[in-house]
Amino acid sequence: MKSENIQIFDTTLRDWDQAAWVGFSIQEKIAIAYALRISWVDAMEIGFWASRADNGMDIIVDLVGKDENAPTMVALSRATIDDIHASYEVLKAAYKPRIHTFIATSDEHIKTKFQKEEETLEEAKERVIGMIEETVSYAAGRKNTAGKNMEVEWSAEDATNSEKNYLLRACRTAIESWATIINVPDTLGTASSWEVEELFKFLDNKTKDLQEKYDFIFSTHNHNDRWLATANSMSAIRWWARQVEWTILWIWERAGNAKIHEIIWNVRDFADRILDWHEFETNFIAEEMWRISALVARILWRDIPLNEPFAWGLVSTHWSWVHHSWAIKWKKNGWADIYKKVDSADYGVPETVETFNARSWTAQIISMLKNQWIELNPSMDKDLIERITKRACEIAEKARGIYTANIYAIYLSEKWEFNINKIETISSNKVCIELEIDWKIVKIVWEWSDENGHIDATVNALNNFFGTESVAIDDIDISVREDILKIAEDLWYEPKKY
């Protein structure tokens, strides 16, 4: 069976304008835009001009969107000629520009936003149809600086609460006015999966005649008020939506949108269970998932919960010894990991990300140290293992979990009798480890290549220091600076001494 392509439309850079307590700076938006480009999203929505004029949209187009390999640059616009023209002015330099315009189609929204005192509701709905035709036609008639027509996406605000036949009429009007993407959003996040299925089946069946004349696809954009955004997106894909709109992690308005990792996870690894007879593919590079999630998590920092798997590199991570013991046996014997249905490496998560908590077992510590090339014999090294386990449990109880690098540091401090005061990332590829040995402060600076993360750098630095007779480098002046690209699993908890 031939696979069908699902277009990926990321709205992170626009949704932040409507998300509480976020407010990316222009520099942060540029960093995210570059990451989205590297990940090969098909389109990125870079802003909503009407909500905030000085939002860096033109800079993003200039830096990320001008060449043939760039994703489609999208700007959101209300259904007014002025809004659409403002978006056009921002987008006209892009190689692949798209104007995304929207208008409400539910009776409640039309009555509240558009019905005039002297009008009936039906008259107001007729006027909305006229606005769709006028604004979509105007947007479709714009050209970029290379003479290429603007692509137009039209959205029916509150589509899932709209009367079906009126929504169909609005969609047909947009298609006949040369919109090439018809977005059917669950704006209020109230629809169930079966309602989304029925709606997309209805719209697909009732536009068969237009599918022969016009080149268009349906798109889905779901909000997470009832925690159904991903399920509703998959239902829409199952019934002929060929674009899915998402955000990185949980950047949102309202209760959030469908999340990047949930959509890709389901389309890539579980399509046979969810999508029945369909086979799908996307252009998105799954191996970039962890990197882009960690970047946004680092920018937002405290706003991302620890149970977001790709933000913190904790894909398929578990503290249950029953689960973890099988993971250890799997690595040792090459068996299938029966508790892990997704390979974290497929999504760019480093193998070094392994965790320990106070309920974990001694064998897990031995396994974590073995990953750092430290072989401990349970009988010969019994006392050392017991000391490491005791200290690891004490720290994990306070910090609610620690990483391989922490276990390694505890091992070294027990073996060599020193304290680690702090471990700091001082640039995008350097780490500084401050040690206290016999009341003397020693600083080791270690640099790593792109292939290795900061955990490996820490381990290599300490191995280098304690594995040779090299002289310590004392009192190096370090100018520590905040770096938004610093990987999110840094050792952030207090106290720093072990």
Side-chain angles (χ1 to χ4, degrees):
M1 182 185 296
K2 183 180 179 181
S3 294
E4 295 189 54
N5 185 266
I6 302 298
Q7 295 184 27
I8 302 300
F9 180 9
D10 185 277
T11 72
T12 303
L13 297 177
R14 189 271 299 175
D15 263 306
W16 78 272
D17 271 326
Q18 295 156 265
W21 311 110
V22 178
F24 295 143
S25 68
I26 292 176
Q27 291 79 8
E28 289 165 344
K29 291 184 76 175
I30 292 169
I32 294 170
Y34 271 114
L36 287 170
R37 176 184 168 126
I38 293 169
S39 302
W40 280 88
V41 295
D42 296 283
M44 67 172 79
E45 196 163 46
I46 60 175
F48 183 12
W49 187 262
S51 68
R52 183 179 172 192
D54 183 23
N55 58 8
M57 293 167 64
D58 52 344
I59 299 174
I60 293 171
V61 169
D62 189 55
L63 294 177
V64 182
K66 282 190 170 181
D67 63 274
E68 61 182 349
N69 293 320
T72 299
M73 299 282 109
V74 187
L76 185 65
S77 307
R78 295 171 300 183
T80 70
I81 298 300
D82 287 344
D83 263 29
I84 291 171
H85 184 75
S87 293
Y88 161 71
E89 288 295 327
V90 172
L91 294 173
K92 64 183 180 182
Y95 186 84
K96 290 180 282 189
R98 180 191 301 175
I99 292 174
H100 181 191
T101 182
F102 69 95
I103 197 168
T105 54
S106 67
D107 286 0
E108 186 175 2
H109 276 239
I110 291 174
K111 182 177 180 179
T112 304
K113 296 177 180 178
F114 298 108
Q115 186 178 357
K116 298 178 181 178
E117 287 186 10
E118 67 276 11
E119 280 184 324
T120 64
L121 178 59
E122 290 305 314
E123 289 172 336
K125 291 170 74 171
E126 283 298 319
R127 191 157 52 80
V128 166
I129 294 294
M131 293 171 67
I132 294 170
E133 181 177 4
E134 178 188 19
T135 54
V136 172
S137 298
Y138 178 81
R142 303 307 95 195
K143 296 180 184 292
N144 69 358
T145 51
K148 182 179 179 180
N149 281 345
M150 290 275 172
E151 191 174 53
V152 180
E153 176 171 345
W154 175 78
S155 287
E157 186 182 17
D158 202 24
T160 53
N161 290 307
S162 300
E163 192 275 317
K164 275 189 176 181
N165 287 319
Y166 181 76
L167 175 63
L168 172 63
R169 186 181 172 202
C171 289
R172 290 180 66 92
T173 300
I175 294 166
E176 291 170 339
S177 302
W178 301 103
T180 53
I181 299 99
I182 304 300
N183 186 38
V184 186
D186 182 25
T187 305
L188 304 185
T190 56
S192 63
S193 295
W194 72 265
E195 287 175 312
V196 171
E197 278 197 19
E198 290 300 313
L199 182 57
F200 273 85
K201 276 197 286 187
F202 171 79
L203 293 174
D204 177 66
N205 289 331
K206 296 295 185 179
T207 55
K208 293 290 188 187
D209 58 321
L210 296 182
Q211 293 170 25
E212 299 176 1
K213 299 179 184 178
Y214 300 92
D215 183 17
F216 70 94
I217 60 172
F218 284 107
S219 176
T220 182
H221 181 121
N222 295 286
H223 286 167
N224 209 30
D225 297 58
R226 292 174 61 197
W227 300 99
L228 292 172
T230 298
N232 289 348
S233 296
M234 300 309 292
S235 294
I237 292 171
R238 186 168 180 262
W239 291 103
W240 309 113
R242 291 298 174 263
Q243 176 179 277
V244 61
E245 305 187 5
W246 72 23
T247 57
I248 303 167
L249 302 177
W250 61 349
I251 307 298
W252 69 68
E253 57 171 320
R254 307 182 59 83
N257 293 12
K259 300 173 187 176
I260 172 177
H261 59 272
E262 293 179 356
I263 296 296
I264 289 296
W265 225 339
N266 280 287
V267 169
R268 175 171 170 156
D269 289 306
F270 300 104
D272 58 331
R273 295 186 176 188
I274 300 170
L275 302 173
D276 292 348
W277 60 89
H278 298 299
E279 288 187 14
F280 295 110
E281 61 184 11
T282 70
N283 295 326
F284 184 81
I285 300 175
E287 290 76 9
E288 294 294 327
M289 182 91 73
W290 177 72
R291 189 180 315 212
I292 193 171
S293 298
L295 167 62
V296 175
R298 182 58 189 168
I299 291 172
L300 297 181
W301 193 234
R302 299 174 188 273
D303 296 326
I304 303 297
L306 288 173
N307 64 352
E308 282 290 348
F310 287 101
W312 308 112
L314 303 181
V315 180
S316 296
T317 295
H318 32 64
W319 282 339
S320 162
W321 170 243
V322 174
H323 291 222
H324 203 91
S325 63
W326 276 103
I328 292 171
K329 293 174 184 177
W330 165 67
K331 288 182 180 180
K332 181 179 179 181
N333 299 300
W335 301 336
D337 188 349
I338 59 175
Y339 285 103
K340 186 177 180 182
K341 290 301 183 185
V342 174
D343 189 345
S344 56
D346 288 344
Y347 296 91
V349 179
E351 287 298 322
T352 49
V353 178
E354 195 168 2
T355 58
F356 175 93
N357 83 335
R359 263 63 63 192
S360 303
W361 286 14
T362 300
Q364 186 173 339
I365 286 180
I366 296 174
S367 170
M368 294 171 81
L369 288 174
K370 188 174 181 180
N371 288 341
Q372 304 302 325
W373 303 282
I374 303 298
E375 294 280 355
L376 294 180
N377 187 303
S379 57
M380 294 179 62
D381 299 313
K382 183 179 179 181
D383 290 343
L384 177 59
I385 292 171
E386 287 181 354
R387 293 200 307 273
I388 295 171
T389 303
K390 181 181 178 181
R391 292 185 66 188
C393 288
E394 289 172 353
I395 296 170
E397 190 70 52
K398 295 177 181 178
R400 297 195 176 101
I402 54 179
Y403 293 100
T404 301
N406 308 86
I407 298 293
Y408 186 77
I410 293 169
Y411 160 77
L412 288 176
S413 64
E414 286 293 334
K415 188 174 179 64
W416 296 96
E417 297 183 354
F418 70 92
N419 283 321
I420 296 181
N421 287 346
K422 58 185 175 181
I423 301 174
E424 293 179 309
T425 300
I426 59 175
S427 73
S428 60
N429 68 334
K430 284 185 181 180
V431 68
C432 176
I433 304 121
E434 183 178 289
L435 311 177
E436 184 178 334
I437 305 174
D438 294 331
W439 304 99
K440 185 178 183 181
I441 301 298
V442 176
K443 290 183 179 179
I444 306 170
V445 177
W446 193 262
E447 187 171 351
W448 67 90
S449 64
D450 292 338
E451 289 77 22
N452 297 314
H454 79 280
I455 293 178
D456 287 336
T458 304
V459 170
N460 289 338
L462 294 171
N463 266 336
N464 186 64
F465 181 75
F466 289 101
T468 68
E469 296 180 356
S470 58
V471 178
I473 303 172
D474 294 343
D475 302 321
I476 296 175
D477 291 329
I478 299 297
S479 177
V480 179
R481 64 181 179 84
E482 184 71 9
D483 190 332
I484 66 168
L485 297 175
K486 188 165 68 171
I487 302 301
E489 77 269 21
D490 280 346
L491 311 178
W492 65 81
Y493 59 87
E494 297 290 345
K496 295 289 185 179
K497 285 192 176 184
Y498 294 90

